[in-house]
Amino acid sequence: MNTEAVKAIYRAEMRRTRNTLLQSIATPVISTALYFVVFGSAIGSRIQSVNDVPYGAFIVPGLMMLSILTQSISNASFGIFFPKFTGTIYEVMSAPISFLEILLGYVGAAATKSMILGVLILITATFFVDLRIAHPFWMLSFFLLTCISFSLFGFIIGLWADNFEKLQLIPSLVITPLVFLGGSFYSIDMLPEFWQKVSLFNPVLYLISGFRWSFFEVSDVSMGFSLAMILLFLLTCIVVVGVMFRTGYKLKP
Amino acid sequence: MDNAKPIVSIRGLAKTYAGGHQALKGIDLDIREGEILALLGPNGAGKTTLISLICGLVSPSAGTVTVAGHDIIKDYRKTRELIGLVPQELTLGAFEKVGNTVLFSRGLYGKAPNAAFIDDLLAELSLSDKKDNMVQQLSGGMKRRVLIAKALSHEPRVLFLDEPTAGVDVELRKDMWAIVERLRQSGVTIILTTHYIEEAEEIADRVGVISGGELLELEDKSTLMAKLGKKQLVIELKNAVDTVPEQLSEYGLELSANGSKLTYTFDARQERTGMTALLTSLSQAGLAVKDLNTSQSSLEDIFVDIVKADA
Ligand SMILES: Nc1ncnc2c1ncn2[C@@H]1O[C@H](COP(=O)(O)OP(=O)(O)OP(=O)(O)O)[C@@H](O)[C@H]1O
Ligand SMILES: [Mg+2]
């Protein structure tokens, strides 16, 4: 195991964040605060509670997921896309590193950033609402699993994308809609029956639902099923990225 | 040096890119430990492809490469640890400091940070005062220095320099050759590619000529230089002749253009070129000269010669 290489990549990636601290950390915190003002206060004053959970608190898990998902993807995809774009990837590709080590470095750093972000959002949220976490262990598990698997997913996008447009394509066309329609700001039984059925095809729903259950013990679908979904997603990403590396996908002519 | 066992051994190495272009057509090459090998070749010859294959940046279509006896694919960790690469393009990340990016390279190759070593390396490349500068703010020549520092950061035993002197001023060239000399003395094997024969002449022990994906020639520098030293004198005659007159036979002249041109080939490195004697002999033989032209065989000619001989 080339641990020095993992450390080198990880540190370089974390340095990159420090250079763009404002963008990486401040932006999501500010937007979270805005969500609370708009959804929590303005709309929340009309929706008293969802499943006995005050609306302001109800949206916290969804908000965290929203930020973690989008930031994991954008951090990890950019992290690998940028060296590909500038050509500096040659160094990583010619170094004595296995694909697992490359993953640990890049995905590890992206996941770390998402974790820091998630914690910041949680802290920001406590300024607006009273929070209780019913199952801290499960909450942490969902949190970590999501950070890791979506960073991995972002890494795949970064490998696949050969221009900036493609890099933005999946996050904006697929992820953002899925997250918004995944019950971030509502429970799906607030939807007409038909749309409830449609929502069940949205994988992000299971994530948010499981995560919310770990906070408030209320959920749209069973918690076990949520956990299985995220694990399945993680496994799929690992397999895909493994195949990509093995075939030198878009990295080795 | 001749008996030294090869540090890099290449057998039947071929590469056909996805588009169907065959960039390398079965290269066999042994690189001796401690030597400086210059690879000469025109644009698109396959020099960068060859280097990229050895470094693991391109997957081979056929053939094998071993470095210090290890296969570059099966034992990639062992072989890559030994190799340093300075790429042809100035590829450097944007938002990084010089010192950090060099440390990063060292880490990638599995070596623990060593501040003293890195400081010495930066000093040698006149980069000490640039350590905290962002790489994107450096000039092109400075960037190349940083790339060299990165390639040397893990103390490689085999160093590939892909066109190290493209766009480089005299000073950096001198610095670079000084470093190459220092590395050679410490036993590092160096492979560099270039378009310039003078460059090969300056520092290489052996010169390989690549063209159209084939290694056409691989010779000690002195042998190739002798070839390069050839000059030709073309004599245009006022009146065409049928044969070269008997008394001129010692000059080995070639007759062309229906007997109106004589070509004399000589070694420009020799003190006595025999030109004056030839001209005297010409007038003695009663041949009137209309015009004279000398030409030195260029790298281009050598390529052509080698390719012709190969066909
Ligand atoms: N990634 C690639 N995909 C397809 N073709 C490629 C690729 N890289 C190089 N080639 C082709 O392979 C041939 C050899 O290229 P290579 O870069 O090895 O030449 P070179 O000798 O380094 O040339 P130069 O002196 O211009 O650097 C060229 O015809 C080039 O167009
Ligand atoms: Mg080249």
Side-chain angles (χ1 to χ4, degrees):
Chain A
M1 182 88 182
N2 186 348
T3 45
E4 287 297 336
V6 177
K7 277 194 265 177
I9 296 175
Y10 185 88
R11 281 203 208 108
E13 283 302 291
M14 296 307 281
R15 253 198 317 267
R16 199 166 57 79
T17 314
R18 232 170 290 144
N19 293 339
T20 54
L21 201 64
L22 206 66
Q23 187 205 327
S24 316
I25 303 288
T27 311
V29 170
I30 290 171
S31 58
T32 306
L34 289 175
Y35 276 121
F36 275 115
V37 173
V38 175
F39 286 95
S41 309
I43 297 172
S45 61
R46 292 168 169 258
I47 308 170
Q48 290 310 316
S49 65
V50 183
N51 301 339
D52 297 331
V53 180
Y55 186 69
F58 179 85
I59 65 171
V60 172
L63 263 183
M64 278 179 76
M65 279 291 170
L66 175 71
S67 298
I68 295 169
L69 254 60
T70 50
Q71 287 301 309
S72 293
I73 291 175
S74 91
N75 273 325
S77 63
F78 195 75
I80 188 70
F81 175 82
F82 196 61
K84 245 179 28 165
F85 181 72
T86 58
T88 53
I89 191 81
Y90 85 87
E91 228 190 336
V92 178
M93 298 305 292
S94 60
I97 325 178
S98 68
F99 98 86
L100 183 69
E101 288 151 5
I102 298 179
L103 269 190
L104 283 177
Y106 281 106
V107 176
T112 307
K113 287 179 220 171
S114 303
M115 289 170 201
I116 295 171
L117 182 76
V119 170
L120 281 176
I121 291 174
L122 199 61
I123 294 170
T124 311
T126 57
F127 286 104
F128 294 89
V129 289
D130 275 334
L131 272 180
R132 62 189 166 87
I133 300 172
H135 302 279
F137 172 77
W138 288 113
M139 181 265 174
L140 208 62
S141 304
F142 272 109
F143 180 54
L144 297 184
L145 278 173
T146 307
C147 289
I148 293 166
S149 47
F150 279 81
S151 294
L152 205 52
F153 183 58
F155 189 82
I156 292 171
I157 293 174
L159 276 182
W160 163 79
D162 36 28
N163 56 45
F164 276 97
E165 204 190 1
K166 278 192 186 172
L167 193 67
Q168 302 295 341
L169 197 71
I170 302 222
S172 58
L173 277 185
V174 181
I175 300 301
T176 309
L178 284 186
V179 175
F180 272 91
L181 302 176
S184 304
F185 303 113
Y186 54 84
S187 165
I188 58 165
D189 37 74
M190 294 158 85
L191 293 175
E193 198 165 333
F194 172 74
W195 290 107
Q196 284 187 30
K197 293 259 157 58
V198 172
S199 294
L200 292 177
F201 288 98
N202 179 356
V204 177
L205 173 83
Y206 298 92
L207 261 186
I208 293 177
S209 174
F211 196 47
R212 188 175 284 138
W213 173 86
S214 67
F215 277 79
F216 310 121
E217 295 183 296
V218 297
S219 64
D220 289 327
V221 290
S222 95
M223 173 274 191
F225 199 63
S226 293
L227 194 63
M229 286 294 283
I230 178 81
L231 285 174
L232 184 71
F233 182 66
L234 179 62
L235 201 70
T236 312
C237 288
I238 291 174
V239 170
V240 169
V241 91
V243 170
M244 280 174 137
F245 270 99
R246 220 135 283 215
T247 56
Y249 178 87
K250 285 196 181 174
L251 284 173
K252 257 192 202 188
Chain B
M1 182 96 70
D2 261 308
N3 306 323
K5 72 169 169 49
I7 179 97
V8 180
S9 188
I10 301 166
R11 289 291 170 272
L13 191 63
K15 177 64 190 178
T16 305
Y17 282 109
H21 179 76
Q22 195 176 6
L24 281 188
K25 303 169 182 164
I27 300 269
D28 292 303
L29 170 64
D30 279 333
I31 301 170
R32 302 165 186 162
E33 175 136 37
E35 78 170 328
I36 299 183
L37 173 67
L39 294 172
L40 287 169
N43 288 130
K47 304 180 296 291
T48 301
T49 301
L50 177 61
I51 291 180
S52 304
L53 281 161
I54 302 170
C55 295
L57 293 171
V58 170
S59 352
S61 308
T64 57
V65 180
T66 61
V67 178
H70 305 292
D71 184 85
I72 55 158
I73 292 169
K74 261 186 279 157
D75 290 327
Y76 71 95
R77 278 191 204 266
K78 282 183 187 145
T79 64
R80 293 184 190 177
E81 259 168 26
L82 300 173
I83 295 176
L85 166 67
V86 181
Q88 182 173 0
E89 309 286 335
L90 288 175
T91 35
L92 277 169
F95 315 107
E96 271 201 295
K97 288 181 181 167
V98 171
N100 284 338
T101 194
V102 176
L103 264 177
F104 171 73
S105 304
R106 186 177 167 86
L108 277 186
Y109 281 79
K111 296 247 166 142
N114 179 342
F117 174 79
I118 299 289
D119 283 347
D120 286 350
L121 186 60
L122 292 179
E124 190 174 19
L125 285 156
S126 317
L127 283 169
S128 296
D129 57 332
K130 299 278 191 292
K131 195 174 169 186
D132 290 318
N133 286 36
M134 292 302 221
V135 285
Q136 79 263 36
Q137 292 164 353
L138 298 178
S139 70
M142 284 295 166
K143 282 183 183 156
R144 193 160 295 275
R145 286 171 200 256
V146 175
L147 284 175
I148 297 170
K150 282 164 80 74
L152 294 176
S153 66
H154 63 282
E155 303 157 70
R157 277 181 58 206
V158 181
L159 180 66
F160 289 93
L161 295 164
D162 200 352
E163 295 193 32
T165 50
V168 149
D169 68 2
V170 184
E171 200 183 332
L172 175 50
R173 247 174 94 121
K174 270 197 334 214
D175 282 5
M176 196 139 59
W177 293 164
I179 291 169
V180 163
E181 194 47 46
R182 202 253 307 152
L183 290 171
R184 178 228 284 278
Q185 266 155 30
S186 67
V188 176
T189 309
I190 294 157
I191 297 95
L192 63 101
T193 72
T194 178
H195 294 135
Y196 308 113
I197 193 76
E198 308 84 43
E199 211 162 275
E201 186 172 7
E202 231 174 303
I203 58 164
D205 300 313
R206 283 201 302 166
V207 177
V209 177
I210 298 187
S211 185
E214 290 175 283
L215 184 65
L216 299 178
E217 197 96 340
L218 180 66
E219 290 182 292
D220 282 348
K221 179 173 64 178
S222 48
T223 319
L224 196 76
M225 286 306 145
K227 269 191 190 170
L228 271 176
K230 276 191 189 141
K231 259 193 168 181
Q232 289 186 324
L233 176 68
V234 179
I235 305 151
E236 244 180 275
L237 300 173
K238 269 201 180 123
N239 306 303
V241 293
D242 292 335
T243 51
V244 180
E246 190 70 15
Q247 60 260 60
L248 296 178
S249 60
E250 58 173 306
Y251 297 102
L253 300 176
E254 271 172 56
L255 200 59
S256 60
N258 291 323
S260 65
K261 255 186 201 171
L262 287 171
T263 306
Y264 171 54
T265 308
F266 60 96
D267 191 342
R269 290 165 183 251
Q270 274 170 8
E271 226 153 89
R272 299 182 60 85
T273 59
M275 256 195 283
T276 339
L278 172 65
L279 291 175
T280 315
S281 303
L282 276 175
S283 63
Q284 274 168 4
L287 298 179
V289 175
K290 190 173 156 198
D291 201 4
L292 285 176
N293 255 312
T294 59
S295 64
Q296 175 145 25
S297 47
S298 64
L299 181 57
E300 207 70 28
D301 300 333
I302 293 251
F303 283 142
V304 174
D305 281 354
I306 292 171
V307 175
K308 262 194 207 149
D310 189 66

